[in-house]
Amino acid sequence: MATCLPFGTIPFKTHSPRPAKITCSSTTVQSQLAKQHLLSLISDQDRGLKTQNNPSKLTSIVSAIDDLAALGKDSITTGGSLSATWRLLWTTEKEQLFIIQNASLFGTRTGDVLQVIDVEQRVLNNVITFPPDGVFFVRSDIAVASKQRVNFKFTSAVLRGKNWEIPLPPFGQGWFDTVYLDDEIRVVKDIRGDYLVVDRAPYAWKE
């Protein structure tokens, strides 16, 4: 939390009275303002679908992400607090946006899009749900590379319905940087230059 000190209230003697002044010894206030600005920018973007054809909006959002990342550049974001079920708020990842936009062509709709991370177990699942019973998920192994970077390698993929399941081959590896992390949201930039903003889901997704 930010520590704000009203100097004018400190009880010591001085030869020349000074007006009270408030200072904050933490960047927490700046981070919260930057975070709320980012969340405001993405709030009407339909998880990124509307941003695809709006270059000026994309520029504003990326700038807000960069501002937030700069404030958190010295923080460690690859510890235990990274473990969670993270729910998509906004992204530039074209594959995810394609599925979100076109699920109706297959007679369904896209529900929550998730990243499920367990740092201790060194696993990550990328999950796209299709209510009420459908899900597509990609399993990955992960390894912490630095204070903000995690390497990943896809190991398998599954498309699952109510009474059926189709295994698919794994298809890639890379890394992502969690440039901002708190008790509510996480902001990511990955190896391809894509961005991801997620919040902590109110539930834990399990296979």
Side-chain angles (χ1 to χ4, degrees):
M1 295 180 62
T3 303
C4 297
L5 183 64
F7 285 109
T9 64
I10 299 177
F12 62 87
K13 294 182 179 179
T14 178
H15 296 293
S16 57
R18 298 177 183 175
K21 182 169 60 176
I22 305 293
T23 66
C24 291
S25 61
S26 170
T27 59
T28 301
V29 172
Q30 294 178 33
S31 295
Q32 287 300 310
L33 290 173
K35 168 185 162 181
Q36 292 306 318
H37 177 57
L38 172 60
L39 293 176
S40 175
L41 286 171
I42 67 174
S43 63
D44 62 351
Q45 294 301 294
D46 197 9
R47 294 193 278 196
L49 292 177
K50 294 181 180 179
T51 318
Q52 295 180 103
N53 299 314
N54 191 338
S56 62
K57 188 73 168 185
L58 175 60
T59 298
S60 296
I61 293 171
V62 171
S63 178
I65 289 174
D66 289 342
D67 289 344
L68 199 54
L71 290 168
K73 61 183 175 60
D74 297 321
S75 62
I76 298 173
T77 61
T78 52
S81 58
L82 182 60
S83 297
T85 296
W86 298 99
R87 179 176 54 185
L88 178 67
L89 298 178
W90 180 87
T91 189
T92 59
E93 293 181 1
K94 292 180 175 60
E95 294 87 352
Q96 288 193 3
L97 293 174
F98 177 83
I99 294 172
I100 292 170
Q101 188 168 32
N102 294 287
S104 61
L105 298 178
F106 303 94
T108 186
R109 65 180 179 86
T110 306
D112 285 345
V113 179
L114 308 167
Q115 271 197 343
V116 185
I117 300 176
D118 188 323
V119 174
E120 184 177 352
Q121 297 298 317
R122 301 177 66 177
V123 295
L124 178 152
N125 284 329
N126 286 303
V127 182
I128 302 177
T129 64
F130 304 103
D133 302 306
V135 63
F136 172 65
F137 61 95
V138 180
R139 302 182 185 98
S140 305
D141 291 335
I142 60 172
V144 172
S146 67
K147 64 182 181 181
Q148 293 196 339
R149 178 163 296 181
V150 171
N151 296 327
F152 65 86
K153 183 176 182 179
F154 299 129
T155 57
S156 64
V158 174
L159 180 62
R160 180 183 293 164
K162 185 175 182 178
N163 298 308
W164 54 269
E165 180 174 304
I166 302 174
L168 301 169
F171 48 90
Q173 60 185 358
W175 54 259
F176 61 85
D177 290 340
T178 296
V179 299
Y180 180 81
L181 175 69
D182 67 13
D183 292 339
E184 296 177 329
I185 73 165
R186 173 173 155 255
V187 181
V188 177
K189 183 176 181 180
D190 70 17
I191 188 173
R192 301 190 306 179
D194 279 320
Y195 295 91
L196 183 74
V197 182
V198 291
D199 69 356
R200 294 181 188 269
Y203 60 88
W205 183 86
K206 302 290 185 184
E207 285 193 34

